[in-house]
Amino acid sequence: MTPTHVVSPSDKAELQSQRKRAALLFLVPMLAALVLVAAYPLFRSIYFSFTDTSLTNLYGGQWVGFDNYLSWRTLPSGRTIYRGTLVDQAWWNAVWNTVRFAVVSVSLEAFFGMMVALVLNAEFKGRGLVRAAILIPWAIPTIVSAKMWSWMLNDQFGIVNDVLMKLGIISQKIAWTANVDTAMLAVLIVDIWKTTPFMALLCLAGLQMIPKDVYEASKIDGVHPVKVFFKITLPLVKPALMVAIIFRMLDALRIFDLIYVLTPNSSSTKTMSIISRENMIEFDKFAYGSAQSTLLFTFIALFVILYIWLGRVDLSGDSK
Amino acid sequence: MKILKTISFYLLVLAIVVISVFPFYYAIVTSFKTGTALFEVDYWPKSFSLGNYYAVFQQGEFPRNILNSVFIATLTVVLSLLMGVTASYALARVRFRGRGLLLMTILAVSMFPQIAVLSGLFEMIRYIGIYNTPWALIMSYTIFTLPFTVWVLTTFMRDLPIEIEEAAIVDGATPWQIIVKVFLPLMWPALVTTGLLAFIGAWNEFLFALTFTSSNETRTVPVAIGLLSGATQYETPWGIIMAASVLVTVPIIIMVLIFQRKIVAGLTAGGVKG
């Protein structure tokens, strides 16, 4: 790796092994920290999901196998009763909410992000100002944006209802966050507002890597701009866009804070993270909540593995 | 036709700016309103009263919450950078077996759903006896700041030319000296970027802070704001909530605007280059 000309081959080998030993030593603190805060807690969480541990009896849990996931008992009358997360209506509702939220929000963010990126990629006066402006939603803490928007979406005194009434789009005030039909819409609006900038910045970075002469060539040939976008820009920016989408997708699947503050206790927006924590901490069903968090983890892990396997992404940098 | 195009382009630009900035602007306008003025929708600032800001500092433990957040976020960043610099040197500059796998694992940890470790961390924090203290949060925040720091610093270090290291090796410098004397001076931009992003991440975190603290004095800012409520269940103190929101957001926004180039570079380093 280090072609030095002054050292002899044996010295070089010695140097290499010295570097390797040092490297190992340098990795130890980080690895120890990750084992302590990630690997071990993850292992314990999975373990808890196979026990009957409760919040009030953290250390006295007994092994119960898959009971938290699924168990059944046949009554003398011949009827079978199923229990566990996998037959829990509330859980499947949360799964559906999470998937729906993730797919809709990430698709719309990709669309708007691309649009903003295309605008920022054009040369115009005040471009720096626009770029600074779109960083603001990104910089605002999620909890703060949830509160800001729940004030703006307030049914009686909110500015959103006021604007829509004045424009004549709605005839009566809507309780955005409390209403079952609009709660998910409210969550989507806030999430898209908050995370489109991230998407736009990643898309912009991708756009800026496209060499300018590609555009010049198509301009000389007189290709229509829309065609240029679909035939040249989009294919070239696709790798960057895919990475942005995958990051956002993983983020969206574990969403917690925005929903916890914006639409608390609304069954139409409860996600897997929300319901899992609720069982763990608030309902004293520690093991049951752990089973749900384990399912979410498995779901996300499968998603990542599938993506890496399909995409054959090389992350080690060795190929460079 | 060309004019029409220009006009529609600038309309789009205007829409982007207004949508981005308006909610925060409206929060500022609201934070200066008290009493019945709160319940009238105003598009322009009409009243100016600092009452809500006084209230933020007098009611509850808000100043304490800010101190908690600053302390926790700062210490988290320092710890992550310390461990991150040495680890990323090993990952970026030394070839060893299993390096690719290790990098993948680190990336995987940064994509972890936090809820997946919640019950395990909860037990550990109770067991060590740091429940309801800042240490519980400093420890748990490492789970997302450390992998991110290592990842970005590794991509940065990998791109530095090999020659800078060679001279030091010829002079007989140890790996530790190489890090401190050769790399650290070159890495300030990357350290500032990752430090800032890790700070923002720790400053904004909600799930762990909500679960691992239980009293008003130990809460961080996001939890304090999230749980802020009025005298009765039906009376949400919107003015005070907005004042608190503005107070904790302004420093972050100023920081982001000052360092915007570095932050954009850091955000995209994780994604595009990978």
Side-chain angles (χ1 to χ4, degrees):
Chain A
M1 190 185 177
T2 48
T4 43
H5 305 293
V6 256
V7 281
S8 69
S10 67
D11 279 352
K12 203 176 148 188
E14 168 61 26
L15 205 68
Q16 270 301 341
S17 67
Q18 188 206 337
R19 274 169 70 88
K20 268 187 201 166
R21 259 178 283 136
L24 216 67
L25 213 64
F26 285 160
L27 285 171
V28 167
M30 177 204 67
L31 289 176
L34 286 185
V35 167
L36 184 75
V37 299
Y40 182 71
L42 176 67
F43 164 76
R44 287 300 285 179
S45 297
I46 295 173
Y47 169 77
F48 281 139
S49 75
F50 294 107
T51 66
D52 60 359
T53 309
S54 68
L55 201 59
T56 40
N57 186 17
L58 263 184
Y59 307 103
Q62 297 292 313
W63 181 269
V64 294
F66 280 92
D67 281 7
N68 288 317
Y69 296 92
L70 187 66
S71 69
W72 59 86
R73 202 156 47 108
T74 312
L75 297 177
S77 63
R79 233 183 72 205
T80 315
I81 295 180
Y82 292 95
R83 279 182 161 186
T85 309
L86 291 175
V87 286
D88 187 343
Q89 281 279 307
W91 168 250
W92 287 110
N93 175 49
V95 172
W96 168 235
N97 282 340
T98 313
V99 172
R100 193 168 51 143
F101 166 79
V103 171
V104 176
S105 71
V106 175
S107 324
L108 287 173
E109 281 155 28
F111 175 76
F112 289 122
M114 197 65 199
M115 197 171 82
V116 174
L118 285 171
V119 168
L120 284 174
N121 200 34
E123 302 268 344
F124 64 94
K125 252 186 208 155
R127 183 165 67 159
L129 209 74
V130 180
R131 208 179 65 167
I134 67 157
L135 274 173
I136 288 177
W138 175 81
I140 293 178
T142 310
I143 298 307
V144 171
S145 34
K147 283 288 182 195
M148 267 167 34
W149 278 91
S150 62
W151 170 232
M152 286 173 45
L153 293 169
N154 188 290
D155 50 346
Q156 291 177 63
F157 317 113
I159 192 166
V160 172
N161 277 340
D162 192 66
V163 170
L164 293 178
M165 293 276 272
K166 277 184 183 148
L167 292 175
I169 295 171
I170 54 171
S171 53
Q172 53 185 359
K173 293 183 167 176
I174 298 175
W176 294 95
T177 54
N179 196 325
V180 183
D181 300 319
T182 53
M184 184 54 101
L185 189 65
V187 172
L188 282 168
I189 291 173
V190 183
D191 192 70
I192 291 168
W193 174 79
K194 169 129 184 66
T195 38
T196 296
F198 174 78
M199 211 59 145
L201 291 175
L202 285 191
C203 289
L204 183 64
L207 284 176
Q208 283 169 344
M209 289 199 297
I210 301 174
K212 286 271 182 289
D213 39 352
V214 180
Y215 291 116
E216 271 154 31
S218 59
K219 208 171 188 178
I220 292 166
D221 292 344
V223 185
H224 192 269
V226 176
K227 204 174 169 188
V228 172
F229 175 76
F230 282 106
K231 295 276 171 184
I232 300 172
T233 315
L234 202 58
L236 284 173
V237 86
K238 209 177 132 201
L241 186 65
M242 284 318 286
V243 172
I245 287 179
I246 202 83
F247 275 152
R248 278 297 312 141
M249 201 71 186
L250 294 169
D251 229 24
L253 287 173
R254 63 187 176 193
I255 185 168
F256 177 83
D257 37 9
L258 174 61
I259 291 174
Y260 187 88
V261 173
L262 191 67
T263 57
N265 300 320
S266 171
S267 66
S268 62
T269 56
K270 262 187 193 163
T271 58
M272 292 193 253
S273 284
I274 296 261
I275 202 168
S276 165
R277 183 189 178 275
E278 192 177 75
N279 278 316
M280 242 183 249
I281 308 293
E282 275 151 38
F283 295 167
D284 197 18
K285 294 200 269 181
F286 199 68
Y288 193 69
S290 301
Q292 296 180 328
S293 78
T294 304
L295 284 176
L296 173 62
F297 172 75
T298 317
F299 184 65
I300 290 184
L302 283 177
F303 183 78
V304 173
I305 291 168
L306 195 74
Y307 176 78
I308 291 175
W309 185 62
L310 285 178
R312 312 260 155 164
V313 209
D314 176 35
L315 298 164
S316 64
D318 282 341
S319 58
K320 279 184 189 171
Chain B
M1 189 61 199
K2 189 142 190 264
I3 293 175
L4 208 70
K5 247 183 177 169
T6 318
I7 289 175
S8 52
F9 179 79
Y10 274 100
L11 277 178
L12 185 61
V13 169
L14 189 72
I16 292 173
V17 174
V18 169
I19 291 172
S20 305
V21 178
F22 186 80
F24 190 57
Y25 159 81
Y26 194 63
I28 297 174
V29 171
T30 307
S31 72
F32 290 127
K33 292 205 268 188
T34 47
T36 51
L38 268 172
F39 305 119
E40 288 158 24
V41 178
D42 293 320
Y43 294 80
W44 305 104
K46 270 189 191 155
S47 55
F48 184 82
S49 139
L50 288 174
N52 291 322
Y53 289 88
Y54 286 125
V56 163
F57 281 104
Q58 269 153 17
Q59 292 181 3
E61 300 278 348
F62 202 68
R64 184 64 199 269
N65 299 140
I66 293 182
L67 281 181
N68 287 343
S69 275
V70 171
F71 176 70
I72 290 167
T74 311
L75 218 62
T76 308
V77 169
V78 170
L79 283 175
S80 303
L81 285 183
L82 273 180
M83 288 186 279
V85 167
T86 50
S88 58
Y89 169 77
L91 286 166
R93 311 299 290 197
V94 183
R95 229 167 241 268
F96 56 90
R97 203 179 290 167
R99 176 168 77 159
L101 189 73
L102 194 58
L103 266 171
M104 288 287 268
T105 316
I106 291 166
L107 187 68
V109 175
S110 72
M111 292 173 177
F112 246 47
Q114 286 179 21
I115 189 88
V117 292
L118 195 73
S119 53
L121 266 178
F122 188 84
E123 182 214 16
M124 185 189 274
I125 282 165
R126 274 285 172 89
Y127 184 77
I128 309 176
I130 53 173
Y131 179 74
N132 205 20
T133 70
W135 305 108
L137 300 185
I138 292 167
M139 188 180 96
S140 52
Y141 288 177
T142 314
I143 196 175
F144 58 86
T145 55
L146 185 59
F148 166 78
T149 311
V150 171
W151 184 255
V152 178
L153 289 181
T154 304
T155 40
F156 181 84
M157 271 210 200
R158 202 154 57 193
D159 293 343
L160 292 175
I162 199 140
E163 288 78 17
I164 56 162
E165 218 178 328
E166 265 174 13
I169 293 172
V170 172
D171 290 344
T174 63
W176 175 250
Q177 285 172 319
I178 293 176
I179 292 184
V180 176
K181 299 234 167 92
V182 180
F183 280 105
L184 267 189
L186 289 169
M187 281 178 60
W188 279 116
L191 289 178
V192 171
T193 309
T194 43
L196 270 173
L197 289 172
F199 188 92
I200 292 173
W203 181 268
N204 295 353
E205 203 283 334
F206 185 70
L207 174 60
F208 287 160
L210 179 72
T211 311
F212 301 147
T213 57
S214 60
S215 53
N216 278 333
E217 314 86 70
T218 49
R219 278 183 187 137
T220 58
V221 163
V223 183
I225 291 179
L227 301 181
L228 209 69
S229 53
T232 68
Q233 196 187 335
Y234 303 100
E235 185 189 319
T236 314
W238 287 110
I240 296 174
I241 292 178
M242 290 303 133
S245 299
V246 170
L247 276 175
V248 302
T249 310
V250 164
I252 297 280
I253 288 187
I254 290 174
M255 216 156 72
V256 166
L257 293 184
I258 290 174
F259 293 103
Q260 52 166 302
R261 277 183 192 284
K262 287 199 188 306
I263 283 179
V264 171
L267 277 180
T268 49
V272 178
K273 277 191 188 166

